[in-house]
Amino acid sequence: MDSAEYERKIAHRFAAFDQDGNGYIDRADFNAAAARLLTEFGTTARCDRGQSLYTGAEAFWQGMAGIADVDGDQRVTRQEFVGGAVKRLRDNPERFAEIARPFLRAALAVAAGTDPEGTAPASAPVDRVERALRVLGAEDDIASVAARSLDTDQDGRIGEAEAVAAFSAYFTVIEPDA
């Protein structure tokens, strides 16, 4: 991958987190993503699914800040994202996926309309995951292709393991070729 391609991928991944487009990632971006998901699926913030989603968003933010907020200002700039998050993703993609797991589990539960604390791992129908991806900022055609590709076992549902693995793969960005 050349440097221009690498920069494009980094910018795209950074923008996925910078939900309000203000040039940095912060707690408000994670809360805004949670609020939009709840609204899209008619779920209240005070119900179990809503609370789990906000708790997952906070855990995700804390994990992101812990690995990337170098100056401690509670914001992750693009430079910090590239220098911190992306490097750590390359070094240990499973760790990053694990900080995202509570949010992804709760988002699947909201999309499915099920209890996130149930005994089985969360899963949601492909079409509802596609809606969730759109709400989180994916373009229509990308959301459609992505949701269908997440259904690796072709059972019409996207499970937590599939979502976490895909998340880790998507946000792992290889360094540009020298």
Side-chain angles (χ1 to χ4, degrees):
M1 166 183 344
D2 67 18
S3 190
E5 176 71 4
Y6 176 74
E7 286 296 317
R8 186 190 64 74
K9 285 185 175 188
I10 293 294
H12 191 340
R13 279 140 180 89
F14 179 81
F17 283 114
D18 183 14
Q19 294 278 302
D20 57 14
N22 64 1
Y24 56 84
I25 303 165
D26 64 4
R27 178 179 280 110
D29 292 309
F30 288 86
N31 287 335
R36 282 198 307 281
L37 282 170
L38 293 176
T39 298
E40 176 69 18
F41 292 102
T43 306
T44 64
R46 295 203 179 261
C47 75
D48 289 343
R49 287 185 311 251
Q51 289 296 298
S52 290
L53 188 61
Y54 275 111
T55 299
E58 178 63 20
F60 196 177
W61 161 244
Q62 290 295 328
M64 168 76 76
I67 65 172
D69 183 16
V70 178
D71 60 11
D73 67 354
Q74 293 296 297
R75 299 188 300 182
V76 175
T77 64
R78 186 172 183 276
Q79 182 178 358
E80 287 174 321
F81 183 76
V82 170
V86 174
K87 180 188 180 317
R88 287 184 177 91
L89 285 172
R90 275 194 320 270
D91 294 346
N92 190 353
E94 294 81 22
R95 177 175 177 231
F96 193 73
E98 287 308 311
I99 68 170
R101 184 181 294 277
F103 179 78
L104 295 173
R105 176 185 303 127
L108 286 169
V110 166
T114 60
D115 178 9
E117 301 303 322
T119 56
S123 71
V126 171
D127 64 324
R128 292 178 69 93
V129 170
E130 184 178 336
R131 278 176 57 195
L133 291 171
R134 282 189 188 112
V135 166
L136 293 173
E139 295 177 21
D140 289 349
D141 56 336
I142 303 279
S144 179
V145 169
R148 281 161 187 55
S149 70
L150 288 172
D151 184 15
T152 57
D153 59 8
Q154 301 299 304
D155 67 352
R157 299 186 70 79
I158 297 167
E160 180 181 326
E162 293 165 314
V164 171
F167 181 85
S168 177
Y170 179 74
F171 281 99
T172 301
V173 180
I174 305 304
E175 289 183 76
D177 295 335

